[in-house]
Amino acid sequence: MHPENLRILMVVIPWQARLGIILVSCSAVVYLTKLTVIDNVPGTIEYIFNSFGFLFINVLLVTLVINELLSRRARNARLEKLNIVIGLFFTEVGNDLLRRIIPADVDKHNFGDSFLLKGKERPDERVMQRVVAEHHFKLEPEQLDLLEIHDFLQKKRNFLLRLMENPVMLEHQSFTFLLQAAFHLTAELGHRSDPSHVSTSDRIHLAGDIGRVYKALTFEWVHYMGYLNKNYPYLYSLAVRTNPFDPSVQVEVQ
């Protein structure tokens, strides 16, 4: 065959098909060699049937076991990247936004000691999750500094946009919901000419949008604290010293 025709054929035929042809050809050579050199037709036929019988079990093992191991490894790698992105979000946006919202929470005292993370102690995620599930996240509209929140979100708008463009975010529905809620709040505040002077009804409406972000933020923060404590103690130490739910927190190591 002409080299040019061979090269075209190599391009047209997928690599999987080429690999299959090579492997089947190798098997045929082995069986033909056994038939001609060893001259053991019954034994060869018996061996072929035995091989075919085990083939289905082999396919099952490869499909279920090896494929599951590879999928789990890939999933863990994606989750690791996702948690890195979530960490960047709380460093750049999440913690500061919580500090601006928590003072307006009429029931902030209900978070209790479980949210006052203590040094190297492991956070009680079950208790914290139960507190979040039972919390009302009701905000006092007059206690919210809408202008400050507006200015802060506008400064972080490009950062939030880059997060939304990250394909890793598709792996985490609850965090995607948080970003969507934050974008909606940014858009709502951005359409007010002066967020510090709005009607009472409009302030109540905006407080509801902020409350939605607040609830999603708190939910993600609890999970992220558990992840840091388990995997990155040095990052958890900094998170404890910058805890937005602890009004007496100090970043300096005492």
Side-chain angles (χ1 to χ4, degrees):
M1 182 180 291
H2 193 274
E4 183 64 26
N5 294 334
L6 180 61
R7 186 163 53 252
I8 294 174
L9 185 63
M10 294 287 286
V11 173
V12 173
I13 301 177
W15 70 267
Q16 296 93 334
R18 297 201 299 271
L19 177 62
I21 293 172
I22 293 172
L23 293 177
V24 171
S25 300
C26 291
S27 296
V29 169
V30 172
Y31 289 132
L32 287 173
T33 302
K34 187 177 182 186
L35 287 171
T36 56
V37 176
I38 302 178
D39 191 19
N40 183 9
V41 176
T44 302
I45 295 176
E46 181 182 359
Y47 179 77
I48 291 174
F49 275 101
N50 290 338
S51 298
F52 270 115
F54 184 74
L55 177 63
F56 303 103
I57 299 176
N58 190 37
V59 171
L60 177 66
L61 291 174
V62 171
T63 303
L64 297 183
V65 179
I66 298 179
N67 184 65
E68 176 62 24
L69 291 175
L70 293 175
S71 298
R72 184 178 301 177
R73 181 177 179 181
R75 184 166 58 250
N76 290 337
R78 291 195 301 271
L79 288 176
E80 183 68 19
K81 293 179 181 179
L82 176 61
N83 282 301
I84 291 174
V85 174
I86 292 176
L88 290 173
F89 169 79
F90 275 104
T91 300
E92 293 293 326
V93 179
N95 287 338
D96 288 332
L97 189 55
L98 280 171
R99 292 189 188 95
R100 288 168 168 82
I101 298 175
I102 291 174
D105 186 352
V106 297
D107 297 319
K108 55 181 175 291
H109 59 278
N110 289 338
F111 285 116
D113 294 338
S114 61
F115 276 70
L116 303 179
L117 306 176
K118 303 295 183 182
K120 297 181 180 180
E121 295 180 12
R122 185 173 182 176
D124 194 336
E125 287 186 70
R126 288 187 177 182
V127 173
M128 297 173 75
Q129 291 171 5
R130 185 168 63 251
V131 170
V132 173
E134 296 174 354
H135 199 75
H136 298 295
F137 294 95
K138 183 180 179 180
L139 303 177
E140 178 55 53
E142 297 300 327
Q143 296 295 321
L144 292 168
D145 191 333
L146 298 180
L147 181 60
E148 183 181 4
I149 295 175
H150 165 268
D151 293 343
F152 174 74
L153 289 176
Q154 288 298 325
K155 283 191 280 188
K156 301 297 182 180
R157 184 182 180 88
N158 289 334
F159 175 78
L160 294 173
L161 281 172
R162 290 197 298 271
L163 288 185
M164 286 295 289
E165 294 170 355
N166 193 326
V168 178
M169 291 297 98
L170 298 177
E171 301 287 335
H172 201 308
Q173 292 183 351
S174 61
F175 191 73
T176 301
F177 172 79
L178 168 58
L179 292 179
Q180 291 173 336
F183 269 114
H184 175 72
L185 175 60
T186 304
E188 284 277 7
L189 291 172
H191 281 84
R192 271 69 177 179
S193 57
D194 185 0
S196 60
H197 293 85
V198 295
S199 65
T200 300
S201 59
D202 198 31
R203 179 174 285 272
I204 293 173
H205 170 76
L206 291 171
D209 292 331
I210 296 173
R212 185 185 303 110
V213 175
Y214 178 33
K215 182 176 182 178
L217 264 175
T218 306
F219 177 83
E220 294 299 333
W221 183 84
V222 169
H223 285 276
Y224 185 60
M225 289 303 101
Y227 169 79
L228 286 185
N229 178 266
K230 182 179 179 181
N231 297 281
Y232 299 100
Y234 64 97
L235 292 178
Y236 178 71
S237 173
L238 178 60
V240 170
R241 289 179 278 116
T242 56
N243 181 4
F245 290 91
D246 187 352
S248 62
V249 73
Q250 293 182 351
V251 70
E252 296 85 1
V253 178
Q254 301 297 317

